[in-house]
């Protein structure tokens, strides 16, 4: 995941148990845990979310030393309005490195009003992110264009990319060496428990997308008795943290790129790039080769082109905008169109620098990575032969972990056979960022969980994005804990939404992404995980 700069979505500025009729869940905490000061909520409304409130809580940098150095965690809240109060619902957009402050407003406004009104919907910036302090920013401008071509054609070009990755890792150690040992998922999960205590709640409800599913599963492993409801959407495979998981994305993203090419071919009347998907895909790679030689507008080279089209693997709602710029360049050598779509979908701003810094800090610390660069090289070469769209781009994105200045930890085994209430797991079969097998694995590890599948869906992040069938399961679960029960691998199956239709050329060229539920959600989730 990295937060891209300019996706034009209409969102506000960032700033399981039984149904209860009590005014709030009991404020009991374990005797061994210190009390946490209550957050001081202040109004921080936006045009989109006028009831949003903000606060900060303090947490130990090192949870083994609760009285030692403290960090701050930025929170947001849309408070409940119903007499029936089901407690706090913590929401997370993924990453690691995603800011969650706007997620509170999005989730509260996207759920059925009767359901949302029963929860305090709580967004938060995890440690190191956004408005939490200290916020990481290892090497500002690391993604500034034009970067070296991601696909090495010589030992020298490979060395150039390795040097960039090593420079980033070294800069992180020099700038944030005092914090990096505590940037990991277990520490972030323990922060959630600090938030729980500060909210005065015996249990939390949790709703996470993407990497947020892993964060939620780790919290549930550490504190199963403190979980009331657990929603996991687009699920990280807990057995592949993190090197194997990133390798596992490359083929599915190539498949999604082929699906995009097939969609462009199907809509040849709009784009004029041919009716054969293979021909369309070949035209894209010819465009890539041309940009490697001469970047469009001096800005969009081969690596920037990949960055621009990778979001289409996360959300097909971006396809009409990407296709319009693709066709404009291929047919008219329109560099301006490519630069604009890059700025809207591929460029990395200051929040993206922060997000990538946290992404690397957490993933590099969470688990071990190959010690020898030959392993990275050989795996990348092998996969690139079959899946050239994103393989090397993904390799360099994670390559700082090959020389990270802090030793890795052992991943947490998230299997949970006791105490945990039924969890609701939702997954699209063709999700590239978190492939389907990860959801099946998580379903098997969480006793009593229920798996709802979007058959044929390829988007990453599938609830609250326009699929009524999925949203009905989510609403039922948050209302009274109801989960579907089936006899097969999946407990319930929903049909995927249809692919988008081409937009009028002038609207697509304007790159003004519509205000649909899917666009709003995916503008918040960002990319990578």
């Amino acid at each position: 995941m990295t937060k891209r700069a300019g996706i034009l979505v209409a969102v506000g500025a960032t700033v399981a148990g039984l149904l209860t009729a009590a005014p709030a869940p009991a404020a009991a905490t374990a005797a061994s845990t210190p009390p946490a000061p209550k957050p001081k909520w202040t109004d921080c409304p936006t045009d989109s979310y006028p009831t949003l409130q903000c606060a900060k809580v303090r947490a130990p940098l090192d949870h083994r030393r609760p009285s030692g150095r403290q960090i701050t965690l930025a929170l947001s809240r849309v408070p409940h309005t119903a007499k029936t109060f089901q407690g706090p619902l913590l929401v997370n957009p993924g990453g690691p490195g995603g800011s969650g402050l706007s997620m509170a407003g999005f989730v509260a406004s996207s759920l059925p009003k009767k359901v949302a009104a029963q929860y305090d919907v709580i967004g938060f910036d995890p440690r190191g992110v956004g408005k939490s302090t200290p916020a990481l920013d290892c090497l500002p401008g690391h993604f500034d264009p034009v970067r070296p071509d991601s696909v090495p054609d010589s030992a020298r070009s490979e060395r150039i990319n390795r040097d960039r990755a090593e420079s980033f890792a070294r800069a992180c150690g020099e700038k944030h060496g005092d914090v990096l040992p505590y940037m990991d998922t277990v520490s972030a999960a323990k922060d959630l428990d600090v938030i729980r205590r500060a909210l005065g709640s015996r249990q939390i409800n949790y709703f996470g997308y993407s990497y947020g599913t892993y964060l939620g599963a780790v919290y549930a492993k550490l504190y199963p008795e403190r979980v009331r409801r657990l929603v996991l959407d687009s699920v990280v495979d807990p057995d592949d943290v993190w090197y194997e998981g990133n390798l596992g994305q490359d083929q599915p993203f190539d498949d999604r790129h082929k699906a995009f090419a097939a969609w462009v071919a199907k809509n040849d009347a709009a784009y004029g790039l041919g009716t054969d998907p293979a021909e369309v895909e070949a035209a894209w790679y010819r465009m890539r080769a041309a940009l490697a030689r001469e970047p469009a507008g001096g800005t969009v080279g081969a690596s920037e082109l990949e960055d621009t089209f990778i979001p289409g693997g996360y959300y097909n709602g971006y396809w009409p905008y990407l296709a319009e710029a693709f066709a404009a360049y291929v047919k008219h050598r329109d560099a301006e169109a490519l630069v604009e779509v890059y700025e809207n979908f591929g460029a990395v701003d200051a929040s993206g620098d922060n997000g990538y810094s946290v992404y690397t800090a957490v993933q590099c610390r969470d688990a071990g990575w190959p010690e020898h660069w030959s392993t990275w090289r050989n795996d990348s070469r092998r996969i690139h032969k079959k899946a050239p769209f994103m393989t090397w781009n993904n390799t360099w994105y994670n390559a700082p972990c090959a020389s990270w200045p802090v030793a890795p930890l052992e991943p947490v085994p998230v299997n949970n056979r006791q105490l945990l209430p039924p969890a609701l797991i939702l997954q699209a079969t063709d999700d590239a960022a978190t492939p389907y097998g990860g959801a099946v694995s998580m379903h098997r590890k969480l006793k009593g969980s229920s798996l709802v599948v979007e058959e044929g869906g390829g988007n990453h992040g599938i609830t609250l994005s326009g699929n009524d069938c999925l949203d009905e399961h989510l609403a039922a679960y948050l209302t009274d804990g109801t989960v579907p029960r089936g006899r097969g691998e999946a407990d319930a199956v929903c049909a995927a939404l249809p692919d988008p239709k081409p937009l009028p050329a002038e609207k697509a060229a304007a790159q003004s992404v519509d205000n649909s539920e899917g666009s709003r959600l995916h503008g918040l989730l960002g990319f990578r995980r």
Side-chain angles (χ1 to χ4, degrees), residues 24-29 86-88 195-205:
T29 57
Q86 301 208 52
I195 296 172
R196 176 194 63 80
R197 298 200 309 270
L199 296 174
S201 183
R202 184 176 62 86
Q203 294 178 310
I204 64 168
N205 308 282

Side-chain angles (χ1 to χ4, degrees), residues 80 97 131 149 177 185 206 267 294 325 338 363 404 449 456 459 494 508:
H80 74 285
K131 292 189 176 182
D149 190 335
T185 299
Y206 181 88
N267 292 287
E294 183 179 351
L338 269 186
Q363 291 218 344
W404 200 245
S449 63
N459 289 339
C494 294

Side-chain angles (χ1 to χ4, degrees), residues 420-511:
L420 193 68
L424 180 65
I425 300 172
L426 305 110
Q427 181 70 35
T429 56
D430 299 335
D431 181 353
T434 53
Y436 176 74
V440 175
S441 177
M442 187 73 81
H443 180 36
R444 291 171 178 163
K445 292 178 183 297
L446 301 185
K447 182 180 180 181
S449 63
S450 177
L451 174 61
V452 178
V453 171
E454 186 183 48
E455 184 66 40
N459 289 339
H460 178 67
I462 56 175
T463 54
L464 304 183
S465 57
N467 190 317
D468 292 340
C469 175
L470 296 169
D471 291 351
E472 287 170 4
H473 286 293
L474 174 64
Y477 180 67
L478 292 178
T479 296
D480 59 13
T482 297
V483 294
R485 294 298 182 193
R487 295 183 178 180
E489 186 174 70
D491 294 285
V493 177
C494 294
L497 296 175
D499 284 336
K501 295 180 179 180
L503 295 172
E506 62 275 9
K507 183 174 182 180
Q511 295 298 323

